[in-house]
Amino acid sequence: GEDVEQSLFLSVREGDSSVINCTYTDSSSTYLYWYKQEPGAGLQLLTYIFSNMDMKQDQRLTVLLNKKDKHLSLRIADTQTGDSAIYFCAEIPTSGTYKYIFGTGTRLKVLA
Amino acid sequence: NAGVTQTPKFQVLKTGQSMTLQCAQDMNHEYMSWYRQDPGMGLRLIHYSVGAGITDQGEVPNGYNVSRSTTEDFPLRLLSAAPSQTSVYFCASNDPGSGNSPLHFGNGTRLTVT
């Protein structure tokens, strides 16, 4: 079946780096996304990576893509308490359908 | 520019009642979709629409109906509510014509069925 897998929980200390991992299913996915969900809110696009890239950096965020292993990661440098949220990775496994498949979400807790 | 607006934010229903969750977007997006979010299960697609007058089923469509009479609105109807439909519901829209097409989400409707 189509499963995008993430670990459910991650706890880090303020100022440390966080690494959230995701294993996706379809090597033909064109874009892979990271969304952030704060308590009581909808999901907001955090960043994305095009499938022909290995890495994308955006300020404190670094996305790494390993297409061979179908592994996607999100690194947050200098993690702050405001980064506490649920992080979802997502792919579109069938080209042209725009039917996203979401991971289960990783709840990041930042300890002061 | 409000983005995607969902109403109500909270709702409690008794088993067997029906209701409609409203969703509107002001970005002129062709694609709209409904997801439900349950603990440990991520987001699952209920129904989606690729344009006015066109709808299709997602992963978990049973017990829900949708219609798309305008580009802006995409209501989700629960025909006869069941406790298994207790969840948080999100509406989303996107624009497939722009290549990279991230979803824009509403803030969700938290539904409890007793």
Side-chain angles (χ1 to χ4, degrees):
Chain A
E2 296 174 334
D3 283 327
V4 178
E5 296 182 352
Q6 298 180 241
S7 54
L8 292 180
F9 300 101
L10 177 65
S11 180
V12 300
R13 295 207 174 275
E14 191 174 20
D16 288 349
S17 292
S18 308
V19 179
I20 301 171
N21 294 302
C22 171
T23 302
Y24 62 97
T25 60
D26 192 328
S27 58
S28 67
S29 293
T30 306
Y31 289 94
L32 295 132
Y33 299 89
W34 284 103
Y35 286 84
K36 177 183 180 182
Q37 183 184 29
E38 296 185 356
L43 281 71
Q44 290 190 313
L45 180 67
L46 197 60
T47 187
Y48 65 91
I49 188 167
F50 190 51
S51 59
N52 68 353
M53 299 169 66
D54 297 324
M55 184 181 82
K56 179 180 179 181
Q57 188 145 2
D58 183 2
Q59 300 182 334
R60 292 191 297 122
L61 305 177
T62 302
V63 179
L64 296 177
L65 176 60
N66 180 330
K67 288 189 70 175
K68 174 176 171 290
D69 295 336
K70 298 180 191 172
H71 185 263
L72 182 72
S73 68
L74 174 69
R75 179 177 179 269
I76 306 173
D78 187 25
T79 312
Q80 302 297 307
T81 55
D83 294 323
S84 292
I86 303 175
Y87 291 82
F88 292 90
C89 63
E91 63 166 341
I92 306 173
T94 305
S95 177
T97 67
Y98 296 96
K99 292 173 72 172
Y100 284 68
I101 302 294
F102 284 86
T104 52
T106 298
R107 185 180 294 273
L108 174 64
K109 183 174 182 180
V110 182
L111 305 172
Chain B
N1 189 337
V4 179
T5 303
Q6 289 185 240
T7 57
K9 290 187 177 181
F10 301 95
Q11 183 71 49
V12 179
L13 293 177
K14 294 187 186 301
T15 297
Q17 287 185 314
S18 63
M19 78 159 294
T20 299
L21 280 63
Q22 302 291 344
C23 175
Q25 53 95 6
D26 61 0
M27 297 171 282
N28 203 33
H29 285 168
E30 287 296 318
Y31 280 41
M32 296 186 74
S33 47
W34 277 101
Y35 292 84
R36 59 178 288 173
Q37 182 181 20
D38 300 292
M41 301 187 76
L43 275 74
R44 292 182 292 169
L45 181 65
I46 304 171
H47 285 285
Y48 67 100
S49 169
V50 301
I54 306 168
T55 63
D56 206 347
Q57 295 181 349
E59 181 185 357
V60 287
N62 292 340
Y64 308 94
N65 273 356
V66 292
S67 60
R68 185 95 179 272
S69 56
T70 66
T71 299
E72 294 78 19
D73 299 299
F74 191 43
L76 178 73
R77 297 183 191 84
L78 279 70
L79 308 171
S80 177
S84 61
Q85 294 178 305
T86 294
S87 187
V88 182
Y89 291 85
F90 289 100
C91 179
S93 72
N94 62 326
D95 178 11
S98 63
N100 176 19
S101 182
L103 292 169
H104 297 256
F105 284 87
N107 282 332
T109 295
R110 186 176 295 274
L111 175 68
T112 302
V113 182
T114 61

